[in-house]
mmCIF file of all heavy atoms in Angstrom:
data_model
loop_
_atom_site.group_PDB
_atom_site.id
_atom_site.type_symbol
_atom_site.label_atom_id
_atom_site.label_comp_id
_atom_site.label_asym_id
_atom_site.label_seq_id
_atom_site.Cartn_x
_atom_site.Cartn_y
_atom_site.Cartn_z
ATOM 1 N N PRO A 882 -97.782 68.060 76.692
ATOM 2 C CA PRO A 882 -97.687 66.647 77.078
ATOM 3 C C PRO A 882 -98.097 65.759 75.924
ATOM 4 O O PRO A 882 -98.772 66.210 74.988
ATOM 5 C CB PRO A 882 -98.658 66.537 78.260
ATOM 6 C CG PRO A 882 -99.641 67.634 78.026
ATOM 7 C CD PRO A 882 -98.864 68.764 77.397
ATOM 8 N N PRO A 883 -97.709 64.486 75.955
ATOM 9 C CA PRO A 883 -98.105 63.576 74.880
ATOM 10 C C PRO A 883 -99.619 63.527 74.724
ATOM 11 O O PRO A 883 -100.365 63.622 75.701
ATOM 12 C CB PRO A 883 -97.560 62.218 75.353
ATOM 13 C CG PRO A 883 -96.453 62.563 76.284
ATOM 14 C CD PRO A 883 -96.865 63.835 76.960
ATOM 15 N N ALA A 884 -100.059 63.386 73.482
ATOM 16 C CA ALA A 884 -101.497 63.307 73.216
ATOM 17 C C ALA A 884 -102.072 62.071 73.872
ATOM 18 O O ALA A 884 -101.390 61.060 74.079
ATOM 19 C CB ALA A 884 -101.735 63.258 71.711
ATOM 20 N N ALA A 885 -103.348 62.147 74.203
ATOM 21 C CA ALA A 885 -104.012 61.021 74.856
ATOM 22 C C ALA A 885 -103.940 59.761 73.998
ATOM 23 O O ALA A 885 -103.914 58.644 74.515
ATOM 24 C CB ALA A 885 -105.463 61.381 75.144
ATOM 25 N N SER A 886 -103.868 59.927 72.672
ATOM 26 C CA SER A 886 -103.803 58.769 71.779
ATOM 27 C C SER A 886 -102.524 57.974 71.958
ATOM 28 O O SER A 886 -102.441 56.808 71.596
ATOM 29 C CB SER A 886 -103.921 59.217 70.320
ATOM 30 O OG SER A 886 -102.849 60.086 69.978
ATOM 31 N N LEU A 887 -101.466 58.621 72.509
ATOM 32 C CA LEU A 887 -100.223 57.906 72.747
ATOM 33 C C LEU A 887 -100.322 57.021 73.979
ATOM 34 O O LEU A 887 -99.524 56.114 74.157
ATOM 35 C CB LEU A 887 -99.065 58.896 72.934
ATOM 36 C CG LEU A 887 -98.529 59.558 71.688
ATOM 37 C CD1 LEU A 887 -97.325 60.417 72.036
ATOM 38 C CD2 LEU A 887 -98.157 58.530 70.646
ATOM 39 N N GLU A 888 -101.258 57.310 74.830
ATOM 40 C CA GLU A 888 -101.385 56.528 76.046
ATOM 41 C C GLU A 888 -102.186 55.268 75.764
ATOM 42 O O GLU A 888 -103.200 54.997 76.364
ATOM 43 C CB GLU A 888 -102.039 57.368 77.153
ATOM 44 C CG GLU A 888 -101.174 58.519 77.587
ATOM 45 C CD GLU A 888 -101.797 59.280 78.751
ATOM 46 O OE1 GLU A 888 -102.515 58.673 79.555
ATOM 47 O OE2 GLU A 888 -101.563 60.479 78.842
ATOM 48 N N ARG A 889 -101.657 54.501 74.782
ATOM 49 C CA ARG A 889 -102.229 53.211 74.476
ATOM 50 C C ARG A 889 -101.495 52.225 75.347
ATOM 51 O O ARG A 889 -100.312 52.295 75.458
ATOM 52 C CB ARG A 889 -102.002 52.899 73.002
ATOM 53 C CG ARG A 889 -100.566 53.081 72.579
ATOM 54 C CD ARG A 889 -100.468 53.182 71.083
ATOM 55 N NE ARG A 889 -99.097 53.189 70.620
ATOM 56 C CZ ARG A 889 -98.392 54.283 70.485
ATOM 57 N NH1 ARG A 889 -98.897 55.440 70.817
ATOM 58 N NH2 ARG A 889 -97.158 54.223 70.041
ATOM 59 N N SER A 890 -102.141 51.246 75.925
ATOM 60 C CA SER A 890 -101.431 50.356 76.809
ATOM 61 C C SER A 890 -100.405 49.695 75.954
ATOM 62 O O SER A 890 -100.591 48.620 75.441
ATOM 63 C CB SER A 890 -102.334 49.304 77.405
ATOM 64 O OG SER A 890 -103.124 48.707 76.471
ATOM 65 N N PHE A 891 -99.386 50.423 75.646
ATOM 66 C CA PHE A 891 -98.604 49.864 74.605
ATOM 67 C C PHE A 891 -97.299 49.326 75.113
ATOM 68 O O PHE A 891 -96.588 49.929 75.846
ATOM 69 C CB PHE A 891 -98.527 50.828 73.432
ATOM 70 C CG PHE A 891 -97.396 51.756 73.401
ATOM 71 C CD1 PHE A 891 -96.405 51.617 72.477
ATOM 72 C CD2 PHE A 891 -97.355 52.817 74.256
ATOM 73 C CE1 PHE A 891 -95.407 52.534 72.409
ATOM 74 C CE2 PHE A 891 -96.349 53.717 74.176
ATOM 75 C CZ PHE A 891 -95.377 53.571 73.255
ATOM 76 N N TYR A 892 -97.206 48.027 74.754
ATOM 77 C CA TYR A 892 -96.034 47.249 75.079
ATOM 78 C C TYR A 892 -95.269 47.122 73.778
ATOM 79 O O TYR A 892 -95.805 46.633 72.787
ATOM 80 C CB TYR A 892 -96.472 45.877 75.572
ATOM 81 C CG TYR A 892 -95.387 44.854 75.601
ATOM 82 C CD1 TYR A 892 -94.527 44.755 76.671
ATOM 83 C CD2 TYR A 892 -95.218 43.982 74.529
ATOM 84 C CE1 TYR A 892 -93.532 43.794 76.673
ATOM 85 C CE2 TYR A 892 -94.230 43.037 74.539
ATOM 86 C CZ TYR A 892 -93.390 42.941 75.612
ATOM 87 O OH TYR A 892 -92.401 41.995 75.610
ATOM 88 N N THR A 893 -94.061 47.604 73.754
ATOM 89 C CA THR A 893 -93.252 47.565 72.546
ATOM 90 C C THR A 893 -92.260 46.430 72.671
ATOM 91 O O THR A 893 -91.373 46.484 73.500
ATOM 92 C CB THR A 893 -92.506 48.897 72.360
ATOM 93 O OG1 THR A 893 -93.461 49.942 72.362
ATOM 94 C CG2 THR A 893 -91.750 48.937 71.052
ATOM 95 N N SER A 894 -92.413 45.394 71.877
ATOM 96 C CA SER A 894 -91.492 44.264 71.958
ATOM 97 C C SER A 894 -90.176 44.636 71.295
ATOM 98 O O SER A 894 -90.052 45.674 70.650
ATOM 99 C CB SER A 894 -92.086 43.032 71.262
ATOM 100 O OG SER A 894 -91.966 43.163 69.862
ATOM 101 N N SER A 895 -89.198 43.759 71.418
ATOM 102 C CA SER A 895 -87.897 44.058 70.831
ATOM 103 C C SER A 895 -87.913 43.892 69.317
ATOM 104 O O SER A 895 -86.925 44.168 68.662
ATOM 105 C CB SER A 895 -86.833 43.140 71.442
ATOM 106 O OG SER A 895 -87.173 41.783 71.257
ATOM 107 N N SER A 896 -89.023 43.458 68.750
ATOM 108 C CA SER A 896 -89.049 43.241 67.305
ATOM 109 C C SER A 896 -90.056 44.099 66.565
ATOM 110 O O SER A 896 -89.915 44.320 65.379
ATOM 111 C CB SER A 896 -89.367 41.764 67.011
ATOM 112 O OG SER A 896 -90.638 41.425 67.526
ATOM 113 N N CYS A 897 -91.108 44.595 67.242
ATOM 114 C CA CYS A 897 -92.205 45.144 66.460
ATOM 115 C C CYS A 897 -92.260 46.652 66.422
ATOM 116 O O CYS A 897 -92.888 47.212 65.550
ATOM 117 C CB CYS A 897 -93.533 44.610 66.970
ATOM 118 S SG CYS A 897 -94.070 45.362 68.505
ATOM 119 N N GLY A 898 -91.680 47.353 67.352
ATOM 120 C CA GLY A 898 -91.715 48.801 67.291
ATOM 121 C C GLY A 898 -93.091 49.360 67.571
ATOM 122 O O GLY A 898 -93.626 49.182 68.647
ATOM 123 N N LEU A 899 -93.676 50.012 66.585
ATOM 124 C CA LEU A 899 -94.930 50.732 66.804
ATOM 125 C C LEU A 899 -96.135 49.796 66.681
ATOM 126 O O LEU A 899 -97.035 50.013 65.888
ATOM 127 C CB LEU A 899 -95.047 51.873 65.792
ATOM 128 C CG LEU A 899 -93.910 52.880 65.846
ATOM 129 C CD1 LEU A 899 -93.970 53.793 64.634
ATOM 130 C CD2 LEU A 899 -93.959 53.700 67.111
ATOM 131 N N CYS A 900 -96.139 48.732 67.512
ATOM 132 C CA CYS A 900 -97.173 47.719 67.327
ATOM 133 C C CYS A 900 -98.527 48.157 67.838
ATOM 134 O O CYS A 900 -99.530 47.555 67.503
ATOM 135 C CB CYS A 900 -96.760 46.420 68.008
ATOM 136 S SG CYS A 900 -95.933 46.616 69.576
ATOM 137 N N GLY A 901 -98.605 49.207 68.643
ATOM 138 C CA GLY A 901 -99.891 49.638 69.148
ATOM 139 C C GLY A 901 -100.629 50.563 68.199
ATOM 140 O O GLY A 901 -101.760 50.947 68.447
ATOM 141 N N LYS A 902 -100.015 50.960 67.089
ATOM 142 C CA LYS A 902 -100.642 51.895 66.160
ATOM 143 C C LYS A 902 -101.381 51.113 65.086
ATOM 144 O O LYS A 902 -100.837 50.216 64.474
ATOM 145 C CB LYS A 902 -99.582 52.784 65.544
ATOM 146 C CG LYS A 902 -98.759 53.500 66.585
ATOM 147 C CD LYS A 902 -98.538 54.942 66.190
ATOM 148 C CE LYS A 902 -97.702 55.626 67.249
ATOM 149 N NZ LYS A 902 -97.423 56.997 66.955
ATOM 150 N N ALA A 903 -102.622 51.494 64.847
ATOM 151 C CA ALA A 903 -103.505 50.651 64.051
ATOM 152 C C ALA A 903 -103.497 50.968 62.566
ATOM 153 O O ALA A 903 -103.872 50.145 61.770
ATOM 154 C CB ALA A 903 -104.922 50.755 64.589
ATOM 155 N N SER A 904 -103.116 52.149 62.163
ATOM 156 C CA SER A 904 -103.228 52.500 60.752
ATOM 157 C C SER A 904 -102.137 53.463 60.342
ATOM 158 O O SER A 904 -101.466 54.059 61.173
ATOM 159 C CB SER A 904 -104.590 53.142 60.477
ATOM 160 O OG SER A 904 -104.649 54.404 61.104
ATOM 161 N N LEU A 905 -101.972 53.591 59.025
ATOM 162 C CA LEU A 905 -100.956 54.491 58.491
ATOM 163 C C LEU A 905 -101.200 55.923 58.938
ATOM 164 O O LEU A 905 -100.276 56.636 59.330
ATOM 165 C CB LEU A 905 -100.946 54.411 56.963
ATOM 166 C CG LEU A 905 -99.914 55.280 56.231
ATOM 167 C CD1 LEU A 905 -98.505 54.874 56.615
ATOM 168 C CD2 LEU A 905 -100.100 55.152 54.730
ATOM 169 N N ASP A 906 -102.449 56.348 58.903
ATOM 170 C CA ASP A 906 -102.765 57.719 59.302
ATOM 171 C C ASP A 906 -102.397 57.977 60.752
ATOM 172 O O ASP A 906 -101.977 59.083 61.109
ATOM 173 C CB ASP A 906 -104.264 57.993 59.102
ATOM 174 C CG ASP A 906 -104.624 58.098 57.629
ATOM 175 O OD1 ASP A 906 -103.700 58.330 56.817
ATOM 176 O OD2 ASP A 906 -105.810 57.942 57.297
ATOM 177 N N ALA A 907 -102.531 56.974 61.606
ATOM 178 C CA ALA A 907 -102.260 57.146 63.029
ATOM 179 C C ALA A 907 -100.778 57.318 63.311
ATOM 180 O O ALA A 907 -100.409 57.892 64.326
ATOM 181 C CB ALA A 907 -102.794 55.952 63.817
ATOM 182 N N VAL A 908 -99.921 56.837 62.430
ATOM 183 C CA VAL A 908 -98.492 56.903 62.696
ATOM 184 C C VAL A 908 -97.781 57.995 61.929
ATOM 185 O O VAL A 908 -96.591 58.210 62.088
ATOM 186 C CB VAL A 908 -97.805 55.557 62.407
ATOM 187 C CG1 VAL A 908 -98.185 54.545 63.433
ATOM 188 C CG2 VAL A 908 -98.107 55.071 61.035
ATOM 189 N N ARG A 909 -98.501 58.704 61.059
ATOM 190 C CA ARG A 909 -97.877 59.807 60.324
ATOM 191 C C ARG A 909 -97.844 61.041 61.217
ATOM 192 O O ARG A 909 -98.688 61.918 61.119
ATOM 193 C CB ARG A 909 -98.649 60.093 59.044
ATOM 194 C CG ARG A 909 -98.278 59.125 57.911
ATOM 195 C CD ARG A 909 -98.759 59.687 56.578
ATOM 196 N NE ARG A 909 -98.312 58.852 55.482
ATOM 197 C CZ ARG A 909 -99.135 58.231 54.659
ATOM 198 N NH1 ARG A 909 -100.423 58.312 54.828
ATOM 199 N NH2 ARG A 909 -98.661 57.506 53.677
ATOM 200 N N THR A 910 -96.859 61.071 62.096
ATOM 201 C CA THR A 910 -96.693 62.222 62.978
ATOM 202 C C THR A 910 -95.932 63.297 62.221
ATOM 203 O O THR A 910 -94.936 63.023 61.575
ATOM 204 C CB THR A 910 -95.904 61.826 64.238
ATOM 205 O OG1 THR A 910 -96.517 60.683 64.819
ATOM 206 C CG2 THR A 910 -95.876 62.955 65.249
ATOM 207 N N ALA A 911 -96.397 64.536 62.281
ATOM 208 C CA ALA A 911 -95.754 65.627 61.549
ATOM 209 C C ALA A 911 -94.358 65.877 62.107
ATOM 210 O O ALA A 911 -94.180 66.096 63.297
ATOM 211 C CB ALA A 911 -96.605 66.884 61.649
ATOM 212 N N SER A 912 -93.379 65.840 61.234
ATOM 213 C CA SER A 912 -92.006 66.081 61.654
ATOM 214 C C SER A 912 -91.733 67.579 61.732
ATOM 215 O O SER A 912 -92.302 68.377 60.978
ATOM 216 C CB SER A 912 -91.032 65.439 60.667
ATOM 217 O OG SER A 912 -89.689 65.740 61.002
ATOM 218 N N ALA A 913 -90.836 67.933 62.625
ATOM 219 C CA ALA A 913 -90.426 69.337 62.742
ATOM 220 C C ALA A 913 -89.399 69.697 61.679
ATOM 221 O O ALA A 913 -89.054 70.868 61.513
ATOM 222 C CB ALA A 913 -89.854 69.588 64.135
ATOM 223 N N TYR A 914 -88.923 68.693 60.940
ATOM 224 C CA TYR A 914 -87.851 68.916 59.971
ATOM 225 C C TYR A 914 -88.266 68.408 58.592
ATOM 226 O O TYR A 914 -88.939 67.390 58.465
ATOM 227 C CB TYR A 914 -86.578 68.199 60.428
ATOM 228 C CG TYR A 914 -86.255 68.440 61.875
ATOM 229 C CD1 TYR A 914 -86.308 67.410 62.805
ATOM 230 C CD2 TYR A 914 -85.899 69.719 62.325
ATOM 231 C CE1 TYR A 914 -86.023 67.632 64.145
ATOM 232 C CE2 TYR A 914 -85.613 69.946 63.660
ATOM 233 C CZ TYR A 914 -85.676 68.903 64.562
ATOM 234 O OH TYR A 914 -85.397 69.131 65.887
ATOM 235 N N SER A 915 -87.826 69.108 57.557
ATOM 236 C CA SER A 915 -88.153 68.734 56.193
ATOM 237 C C SER A 915 -86.998 67.970 55.568
ATOM 238 O O SER A 915 -85.958 68.552 55.225
ATOM 239 C CB SER A 915 -88.466 69.977 55.352
ATOM 240 O OG SER A 915 -88.649 69.628 53.998
ATOM 241 N N VAL A 916 -87.176 66.678 55.412
ATOM 242 C CA VAL A 916 -86.171 65.850 54.761
ATOM 243 C C VAL A 916 -86.047 66.210 53.281
ATOM 244 O O VAL A 916 -84.952 66.224 52.708
ATOM 245 C CB VAL A 916 -86.520 64.361 54.930
ATOM 246 C CG1 VAL A 916 -85.677 63.492 54.001
ATOM 247 C CG2 VAL A 916 -86.319 63.921 56.386
ATOM 248 N N ALA A 917 -87.155 66.530 52.653
ATOM 249 C CA ALA A 917 -87.155 66.825 51.222
ATOM 250 C C ALA A 917 -86.283 68.024 50.877
ATOM 251 O O ALA A 917 -85.731 68.104 49.772
ATOM 252 C CB ALA A 917 -88.582 67.068 50.732
ATOM 253 N N ASP A 918 -86.137 68.960 51.803
ATOM 254 C CA ASP A 918 -85.347 70.158 51.542
ATOM 255 C C ASP A 918 -83.847 69.956 51.755
ATOM 256 O O ASP A 918 -83.054 70.849 51.467
ATOM 257 C CB ASP A 918 -85.819 71.305 52.450
ATOM 258 C CG ASP A 918 -87.221 71.769 52.101
ATOM 259 O OD1 ASP A 918 -87.638 71.545 50.958
ATOM 260 O OD2 ASP A 918 -87.899 72.342 52.981
#
Side-chain angles (χ1 to χ4, degrees):
S886 61
L887 284 184
E888 294 184 30
R889 51 198 187 271
S890 47
F891 92 110
Y892 165 84
T893 304
S894 77
S895 57
S896 61
C897 75
L899 301 168
C900 39
K902 305 223 180 179
S904 68
L905 181 62
D906 288 340
V908 289
R909 279 196 175 119
T910 308
S912 176
Y914 313 113
S915 174
V916 167
D918 293 337

